[in-house]
Amino acid sequence: MTSPSTTLSLVDTDPAELAVDAIVIGLHSQTTSEEGSPASTGFASTLLLATGAESIAAAFDGRLTETLALLGATGGPGEVIKLATLGTITAPLVVAVGLGPEPTGAAPAPETLRRAAAAAIRALAGAERVALTLPVPDDEDAPAVLRATAEGALLGAYRFAGYKTRPQPTRRPPVTSVAVHVPDAGDERALAEITRAGVVARAVTQTRNWVNTAPNELRPPSFADSVAAAAREAGLGVEVLDEQALADGGYGGILAVGLGSSAPPRLVKLSYDPAGAGSDKPVKRVALVGKGITFDTGGVSIKPAQGMWEMKSDMAGAAAVAATMLAIAELRPAVAVTAYLPMAENMPSATAYRPGDVVTMYNGKRVEVLNTDAEGRMVLGDAMARACEDGCDYLFETSTLTGGQVISLGKRVAGVMGTTELCQRVQTAGDATGEPTWPMPLPDDVRKGMDSDVADISQVNASMDRAGHMLQGGVFLREFVTDDVAWAHIDIAGPSYHSGEPTGYWTKGGTGVPVRTLLELVDDIAAND
């Protein structure tokens, strides 16, 4: 699994004495009234140093916030202000990162710290050693806060190598090492959180790297080879079905989508066996399914040219699931986890599948194709049917399935559909990891509109066109899940790829969503089921 270029450690030395290139402190904003007391509708703004910066503030004789204010600091979330210390403390640079208003009686929310740590580390590119002295409470919230801070630091340092042939003078290397300040650097619980953060960051980094790879270099066979090689190195079970094996096995959906490409499709199965993971409870079985369309032109129902280049990210679901499995191999939860990654390239050609085709899926259902750009549900239907046939208690599927998700929920919040209780667990896991989701319905009228005159089901609801587009995808996928399996479909069309400037721990390109959610779900099942 790809390793972040930045290393992580714990430190409990007085922050003012740390021999690092820069030390990061937290800064809160506070609105005050004319009399100087906090007020909800005041007009003046003051700054408050977050917990952890006390010794640094003392070294500045109590004038640190005043100096930061003169530099334009407001304490707004993610704001970064740099101040040369001129020998006041050991580190030559103090970096104040905004945390927003001071929370009442608690540390800042984990997601606030995750984003703040990332913003600070990204702003310090070029530095070798950085220390973070952001708030870490001494209570039951400490693990989540420490994990968030560590994850943010590592993810904020992410940089895709890219394909440029000339050195970029303005492109400074990421921070080499980050030390997170805690009360006790030898605390086993804190060390465990740092270790886990490293595993998670490696998985997110691997996902981002796969998503950011140029599509001519990551077609279905090469993507399958890359995943299989990483999985074997991690000690996972690996099975790769090529086009002949897919034909022999009756995977009509995957084969149909791959017909138009000279690079044939694949189905990759990865297996994790929890034997020796240290639990005497009956082992639950989890299936993970991820869409792996390495490039999506729309096929015969071709997409508009504008923005099509981002369709290299249409395999983000498969990338996230594969990387999640690599992390699971390291974390070793007491849950049996199997992943199914259908991979194909959706291209227009003389051999491509067409609107009007009838395709026999892996579970025997026949689908009338109305739109070749609804290819994701075709490959996923086969993979989900195979997962149910193999046997599982829970099935989590994730995919960049519909533009309707972006229209409905935007670029940050994924849609989740399926078994009600499991969707709620997905939402809880997403909230805990900073990867929010929102449950959506699977209405009966949407399914009724997908009745076909010639097959068991139509691929889309022709009468609704793009109305309820996200819901149509979920309704279709439900047809390939057996009644005894709890399932959730996570549509990440928006959150999986960030096309804007870096923000928080997101850089431009692949985000790694929903790796952290899937790992949280597996942990939850291992602990509570």
Side-chain angles (χ1 to χ4, degrees):
M1 185 160 59
T2 301
S3 296
S5 57
T6 302
T7 61
L8 200 62
S9 62
L10 296 175
V11 65
D12 53 16
T13 306
D14 181 350
E17 298 177 1
L18 287 172
V20 293
D21 298 317
I23 190 157
V24 178
I25 62 173
L27 193 63
H28 291 295
S29 58
Q30 182 185 42
T31 302
T32 62
S33 64
E34 286 184 279
E35 290 76 21
S37 59
S40 60
T41 58
F43 64 89
S45 179
T46 59
L47 301 175
L48 294 173
L49 293 175
T51 303
E54 293 83 0
S55 66
I56 296 172
F60 278 83
D61 294 328
R63 302 188 65 182
L64 182 54
T65 54
E66 177 185 342
T67 305
L68 291 170
L70 289 172
L71 292 173
T74 66
E79 172 190 78
V80 177
I81 301 292
K82 298 178 182 179
L83 173 65
T85 65
L86 302 177
T88 304
I89 61 173
T90 303
L93 192 66
V94 166
V95 178
V97 61
L99 301 176
E102 183 181 31
T104 303
E111 179 66 3
T112 298
L113 292 169
R114 189 182 283 112
R115 296 188 187 190
I121 294 301
R122 184 169 52 251
L124 286 166
E128 290 189 8
R129 299 167 300 168
V130 173
L132 297 176
T133 60
L134 298 175
V136 178
D138 188 18
D139 57 25
E140 66 276 5
D141 294 331
V145 169
L146 180 56
R147 180 185 300 184
T149 300
E151 286 178 357
L154 293 174
L155 297 180
Y158 173 79
R159 189 79 57 80
F160 181 60
Y163 300 94
K164 293 183 181 293
T165 58
R166 296 181 180 179
Q168 304 296 304
T170 60
R171 187 181 171 97
R172 295 173 296 171
V175 171
T176 303
S177 66
V178 176
V180 181
H181 189 270
V182 293
D184 180 5
D187 181 77
E188 290 186 3
R189 188 172 62 169
L191 290 168
E193 290 298 339
I194 289 291
T195 299
R196 188 185 192 282
V199 174
V200 172
R202 285 194 292 275
V204 174
T205 293
Q206 180 65 79
T207 305
R208 291 177 174 182
N209 284 344
W210 273 324
V211 172
N212 292 333
T213 298
N216 59 313
E217 292 193 357
L218 202 73
R219 303 181 79 185
S222 58
F223 187 23
D225 290 345
S226 179
V227 168
R232 289 190 181 100
E233 185 177 349
L236 296 169
V238 178
E239 178 186 1
V240 180
L241 302 185
D242 62 13
E243 64 271 31
Q244 186 58 57
L246 291 169
D248 293 343
Y251 296 87
I254 299 173
L255 287 166
V257 174
L259 282 174
S261 174
S262 60
R266 296 287 186 266
L267 176 63
V268 179
K269 178 182 175 183
L270 308 177
S271 304
Y272 162 73
D273 180 358
S279 175
D280 296 327
K281 298 189 302 181
V283 173
K284 290 293 184 179
R285 300 167 300 167
V286 173
L288 303 178
V289 179
K291 172 185 169 185
I293 301 298
T294 60
F295 195 80
D296 183 18
T297 66
V300 173
S301 307
I302 199 161
K303 294 177 180 290
Q306 181 63 31
M308 193 191 287
W309 50 84
E310 290 187 6
M311 287 301 98
K312 70 177 184 178
S313 69
D314 212 21
M315 37 61 71
V321 167
T324 296
M325 292 298 293
L326 300 180
I328 286 170
E330 287 196 66
L331 297 172
R332 298 204 56 77
V335 179
V337 188
T338 307
Y340 301 83
L341 313 176
M343 301 174 180
E345 190 175 51
N346 190 22
M347 303 291 283
S349 76
T351 58
Y353 81 132
R354 299 154 292 262
D357 283 0
V358 174
V359 175
T360 302
M361 305 290 284
Y362 182 76
N363 68 348
K365 288 191 177 181
R366 288 180 172 169
V367 175
E368 181 183 12
V369 176
L370 300 182
N371 184 341
T372 64
D373 194 23
E375 84 298 329
R377 64 198 67 182
M378 299 293 290
V379 302
L380 290 168
D382 277 354
M384 294 168 74
R386 168 67 189 275
C388 291
E389 180 183 81
D390 287 351
C392 58
D393 300 299
Y394 302 102
L395 189 156
F396 298 100
E397 175 276 321
T398 187
S399 51
T400 50
L401 198 65
T402 66
Q405 179 276 318
V406 182
I407 294 169
S408 300
L409 298 173
K411 297 284 285 184
R412 196 96 199 188
V413 181
V416 58
M417 290 144 272
T419 308
T420 300
E421 185 271 339
L422 202 59
C423 289
Q424 292 171 347
R425 292 178 80 165
V426 172
Q427 185 177 28
T428 299
D431 289 343
T433 58
E435 295 180 340
T437 65
W438 194 255
M440 301 296 289
L442 298 174
D444 291 339
D445 64 304
V446 173
R447 173 60 184 88
K448 181 173 177 57
M450 298 173 78
D451 285 343
S452 168
D453 292 335
V454 299
D456 298 315
I457 186 173
S458 295
Q459 183 196 35
V460 296
N461 187 321
S463 64
M464 294 180 69
D465 192 19
R466 293 187 66 83
H469 194 217
M470 174 169 48
L471 312 184
Q472 293 181 43
V475 166
F476 182 88
L477 293 179
R478 182 175 58 187
E479 298 289 315
F480 302 91
V481 182
T482 54
D483 293 339
D484 60 327
V485 173
W487 70 288
H489 155 56
I490 308 170
D491 193 333
I492 55 169
S496 66
Y497 194 85
H498 179 59
S499 56
E501 292 301 310
T503 177
Y505 47 87
W506 280 11
T507 56
K508 189 171 185 177
T511 64
V513 172
V515 167
R516 291 178 294 121
T517 297
L518 295 176
L519 289 172
E520 184 75 12
L521 286 164
V522 170
D523 280 350
D524 177 45
I525 291 168
N528 299 309
D529 287 49

